[in-house]
Amino acid sequence: MTAMNPQQPTNEHLLFIRGTHWNHGMSPSELQRVMTDFYAWVEGLNTRGILRGAQPLMEEGKLVSGTKGAAVTDGVFTESKEAIAGYFLLAVETMEEALHIARACPILDHGAQIEVRPIADLCRPMAEVKQHSNS
């Protein structure tokens, strides 16, 4: 049985844009329309003052694992619809608000996915250390 998570949420949420090839098969004019809608969505977040950061990610990457990082392998599989294409850091208090924002993203209609995660006050191992030292 897993112990209850001692982490506490902050007033920020991270949106991971998943899917690096959602635009395949679109005509140039359709892609331009979707991207115009997408950047209007982004500008709306900025205008509301809740956009703390956002960046697209390159499709290349490596995965470091093992003791002292002994294994370095190709770790990003861009052909996968789960590949992370970018992120948005939002200053919103609740998961409900973050989900509302994510649902309004225009690229969802074309196969992209958005993972919504609350930002924690501490990483789980440190939260467990603090919880143990307070008991």
Side-chain angles (χ1 to χ4, degrees), residues 11 13 15 39-53 88-106:
N11 66 342
H13 286 75
L15 308 185
Y39 278 94
W41 175 79
V42 173
E43 187 53 36
L45 301 175
N46 202 31
T47 301
R48 291 171 55 194
I50 59 174
L51 184 61
R52 294 249 170 103
F88 290 85
L89 177 60
L90 304 179
V92 295
E93 295 281 336
T94 66
M95 175 62 81
E96 291 71 29
E97 187 177 359
L99 288 171
H100 179 75
I101 291 165
R103 284 187 184 112
C105 182

Side-chain angles (χ1 to χ4, degrees), residues 4 7 39 62 65 75 81 83 96 101 131:
M4 196 161 134
Q7 294 174 298
Y39 278 94
K62 300 289 183 186
S65 61
K81 61 184 182 182
E96 291 71 29
I101 291 165
Q131 180 184 46

